[in-house]
Amino acid sequence: MMHWLPRWVARLRATIHTKLLAAFLLIALLLLSAAVVGLIALAEMNRRAQETAQLQRKIAAYGQLSHDSITQLYGVATALLQPEERRLDATLRQLKQFGYDLDRLQFLAQGEIDVMGRVRADFEAFIKVVSASIELIRAGKTAEGQRLQLSVASPLADRLERLTNELVNKAEADLVGGIEIASNAYARSRQTVIVCALTSLALALGLGYMISWSLIAPIKQMETRMNEIAIGNFDNQVSIPNRDELGGLASDMNRMSEELGRLYAQVDAERENAERA
């Protein structure tokens, strides 16, 4: 006996061609949906990979900034302790170059605007103090310039070092968090793709089962009925729920069986009458 799903498909008022076409279309849509889910998962993984690469570039840039700031601050301290005109000029040029490096980092530091703002403010204050110290030294007030450097510039330098280290630490923490998020996203994407693939496979198999048995079961019933008719059994009727070409064929077979039964009965009656006569 047909199960209820194939029977339901069989009762649909549509041609076999339409049913098969609809089944192939649904299977194609299932495959397409699985492909779309896979592409979405790949796009998500690509976005996470780009974010991780961006964080790695941040760490490298902030690390270089921290290293350069320490180097510059050490160079300034050395130059002011051993004042020479050539060294003082080189110190100012290096500080200006460090300022240019800060400007180039602005586009990377969109998530650390507050810290970068403090770095920029402290660096500008540091340049002013160093410039004032150098002017005092050039004016022959070496001791006064060095005191200004020790009392004002050194605290600024320490704060700049802490801020640049804070940038590095924050970027590293973001990288660790980003890797964890990417790992979780990968696990979710993999699970989604697997579930979608298995669901599509199950639906495709179920659809194939319904369509095939809505056609095969009636054909088997009619084959059995044809064998009965071939041996002279005209009493039974084939009953199938199809509302398509197979349903029409079953109706024609039932009418044929009835007509053959009537004809055989008529022939038997005429033979019996002939034998009595």
Side-chain angles (χ1 to χ4, degrees), residues 204-216:
L205 291 175
L207 186 60
Y209 169 79
M210 289 188 296
I211 293 294
S212 62
W213 277 102
S214 70
L215 303 177
I216 293 173

Side-chain angles (χ1 to χ4, degrees), residues 116-131:
M116 284 298 296
R118 285 183 285 161
V119 170
R120 167 61 66 181
D122 286 349
F123 178 72
E124 290 176 354
F126 181 76
I127 287 182
K128 290 180 181 179
V129 173
V130 171
S131 298

